[in-house]
Amino acid sequence: MSVKQSVKKMVPQPVRNQIRRTREWNRTHRSADKQLRRFMSWISLDASTDKVHIETRLEFDIHRLEKGLSHQNLRLGFGKGVLKQITRRMTMLEHADPNYKHNALYLDALSALHEYQVRHEEQGFDLAAIKAIFPENIWNSAHSYIPDAEHHAGSFIMDNASKAHSAQKEFVDLAEGRHSVREYSDEPVSQETLDKVYAVSMRTPSVCNRQATRIHQISDPEIIKRALEIQGGFRSYKTPPVLLFVTSDVRAFMSGNERNEPFVDGGLFAMSLLYALEAFGLAACPLNAMFTDEVDEETRKLLNIPDYELPVMYIAVGNFPESVPICASIRKTPDEILTIIH
Ligand SMILES: Cc1cc2nc3c(=O)[nH]c(=O)nc-3n(C[C@H](O)[C@H](O)[C@H](O)COP(=O)(O)O)c2cc1C
C-alpha cells in the first residue's frame, strides 16, 4: 500500500469529504474571482473614451429612446435625460472614431433622433428646449437624415394581421418576425396555449440533460405589478396579463465550474419560450433579472422563490393588440461578430 493510500485510510470519510469540499470551494472562489476581475476590467464605464466602450453606452441610450418612441401614446417632450446622454456619446464618438460619419451606431442615433424630431414636429410640439441640448451639427444631421433600411433605428408599427398563422411559419420567417412587444390587448391569455408553449420548450437542450430550468407563471395583476415595480425595467407600460419568471434549480449542478451553467441553460430555455410564444400567437418581452441583493431578496419573498433557484429572466406575455409600436432594435451584421478560426 502506498503512503498516500495509508494516509487516506487513516483519515475518516467525513473528514475526507470536508477536505474535498474545502478544496472545491477554494478552487471555485479563485476561478469566480478571476472571472469577476476580467469582467470588471473590461466593461464599459461612463468615463470610457475608446470606440467600443462608447458604442456600448450609445446603444443602451438609443434603445432607451426607442422605448420612449414605442408607446401607443407618445409622451410629448419625453426623454431629456436620455437625449443628453445620446448627444454626449455621439460627441465622444466623433473624437474616438475618425470614420464616425459611417459608424453604424452614430447613424442609428441620427435615425432615432430624426424620428423624435419628426413626430414632435408633426404634433406641433415646440422643440426649442430639446434642440438646446444638442450641438448644431448633430441636431441638423438628425434633421436631414434619411433613414435607410440598415440604419432605421427608432420604432415601427406592427400589425396584428402579420401574426396570423404563426404556427405554420418556417423557422426563418418566425425568427425574423419576432419582436419584443411591451403593450398587449386586454384579452386574457389562454392557459391551454401557455401549456402548449411549455410543452414545446421542454425540447430545449441542457447540459447532460439536467433540465434545471423552472418557470413561475404569475397571473395575479397585483403581484405582477409589484414584481415589475421591483424589477424596474418595465416602467410606464401597463401591467401585462401574464408574467413568467424563469429560474434555474441549482440542485441540478455538481461542481463549482458549472456555476455559469444555470444561466446558459436558463437562457436557452427562455429563447425557446420566446419562439414558442411567437409560434402560438402570443406577444412577449424578455425582462432582465439583473438583481441587486436587495431586489433579489424582495423578489424571492414576493414570489416565494426557494433559495436553491437562481433568477434568469422574466418574460411578459399577452395577446397582440390590433397594432403596436415596436422598438427597431437594429442588429449588428454577422461579419461584425464573426471570427473564422483557420
Ligand atoms: C435578458 C434580457 C433582458 C431584457 N430586459 C429588458 C427590460 O428589462 N426591459 C425591456 O423593456 N426590455 C428588455 N429586454 C428586451 C430587449 O430590449 C430586446 O430583446 C432587444 O432590444 C432586441 O429587440 P427584440 O427582442 O425586439 O428583437 C431584455 C431582453 C433580454 C434578452
Side-chain angles (χ1 to χ4, degrees):
M1 191 185 287
S2 71
V3 180
K4 195 175 169 189
Q5 279 169 328
S6 9
V7 172
K8 202 171 164 187
K9 225 175 162 197
M10 280 158 53
V11 182
Q13 186 67 41
V15 177
R16 290 214 306 268
N17 287 346
Q18 186 53 45
I19 292 171
R20 215 174 286 138
R21 266 201 298 272
T22 306
R23 270 204 202 125
E24 172 73 4
W25 176 269
N26 288 341
R27 212 178 10 241
T28 305
H29 202 280
R30 272 197 307 278
S31 171
D33 189 54
K34 192 171 167 190
Q35 184 185 44
L36 183 63
R37 267 184 286 138
R38 177 171 282 144
F39 186 80
M40 294 307 288
S41 64
W42 285 102
I43 57 173
S44 169
L45 302 176
D46 185 50
S48 302
T49 52
D50 71 288
K51 177 174 169 287
V52 173
H53 285 124
I54 296 168
E55 286 175 347
T56 298
R57 285 181 177 253
L58 182 56
E59 180 89 86
F60 174 74
D61 288 323
I62 292 171
H63 188 60
R64 283 169 66 203
L65 186 65
E66 286 187 330
K67 278 174 73 174
L69 290 168
S70 68
H71 280 285
Q72 271 168 335
N73 297 316
L74 187 72
R75 193 166 57 81
L76 290 171
F78 79 91
K80 248 189 168 172
V82 68
L83 290 166
K84 272 186 190 155
Q85 288 302 323
I86 289 179
T87 173
R88 181 168 159 239
R89 261 358 122 179
M90 288 176 83
T91 307
M92 287 168 85
L93 202 52
E94 287 173 3
H95 294 107
D97 182 3
N99 205 20
Y100 74 89
K101 284 196 175 157
H102 301 282
N103 181 293
L105 276 158
Y106 193 88
L107 296 174
D108 289 347
L110 288 180
S111 175
L113 289 173
H114 180 79
E115 179 179 333
Y116 185 95
Q117 294 170 335
V118 169
R119 287 182 58 193
H120 280 81
E121 282 164 5
E122 276 170 1
Q123 301 210 35
F125 185 85
D126 180 5
L127 282 173
I130 302 285
K131 188 178 174 188
I133 299 171
F134 287 84
E136 217 174 304
N137 71 315
I138 294 181
W139 185 261
N140 291 341
S141 301
H143 217 262
S144 57
Y145 188 76
I146 302 169
D148 59 29
E150 255 177 73
H151 302 290
H152 198 155
S155 69
F156 66 93
I157 301 292
M158 195 170 70
D159 207 331
N160 191 358
S162 69
K163 298 296 164 188
H165 317 299
S166 283
Q168 279 79 51
K169 281 185 183 163
E170 301 263 340
F171 177 73
V172 175
D173 274 353
L174 190 85
E176 287 185 347
R178 185 212 59 80
H179 298 280
S180 287
V181 176
R182 297 174 175 84
E183 292 178 324
Y184 311 95
S185 78
D186 292 331
E187 189 192 340
V189 175
S190 128
Q191 186 63 48
E192 198 188 335
T193 310
L194 286 174
D195 290 339
K196 288 183 192 163
V197 165
Y198 303 144
V200 174
S201 304
M202 293 311 292
R203 298 308 306 166
T204 306
S206 63
V207 62
C208 306
N209 205 24
R210 281 202 253 140
Q211 305 175 65
T213 305
R214 305 289 177 262
I215 308 164
H216 301 261
Q217 180 189 317
I218 317 154
S219 307
D220 179 326
E222 284 308 310
I223 300 181
I224 297 177
K225 187 164 172 265
R226 183 68 199 124
L228 291 178
E229 273 166 10
I230 298 170
Q231 188 262 357
F234 203 66
R235 297 217 172 96
S236 71
Y237 294 103
K238 264 172 56 185
T239 306
V242 170
L243 184 65
L244 306 181
F245 190 41
V246 181
T247 65
S248 262
D249 185 336
V250 177
R251 293 174 302 172
F253 299 100
M254 300 187 293
S255 68
N257 60 0
E258 296 183 345
R259 68 185 179 283
N260 297 315
E261 210 51 42
F263 309 108
V264 174
D265 289 8
L268 287 171
F269 198 99
M271 193 66 240
S272 294
L273 283 171
L274 290 170
Y275 280 139
L277 288 161
E278 177 77 16
F280 286 106
L282 289 172
C285 181
L287 301 171
N288 79 78
M290 301 184 290
F291 296 163
T292 59
D293 287 349
E294 294 76 23
V295 168
D296 183 84
E297 282 305 318
E298 238 185 304
T299 305
R300 284 178 187 281
K301 213 182 277 172
L302 178 74
L303 304 179
N304 206 13
I305 305 297
D307 192 55
Y308 48 77
E309 289 185 29
L310 296 181
V312 175
M313 73 179 80
Y314 281 115
I315 301 180
V317 181
N319 283 290
F320 288 99
E322 279 294 297
S323 71
V324 62
I326 300 286
C327 297
S329 294
I330 299 290
R331 300 302 207 264
K332 292 180 164 70
T333 54
D335 60 294
E336 289 177 85
I337 63 140
L338 176 69
T339 305
I340 296 177
I341 299 170
H342 298 284

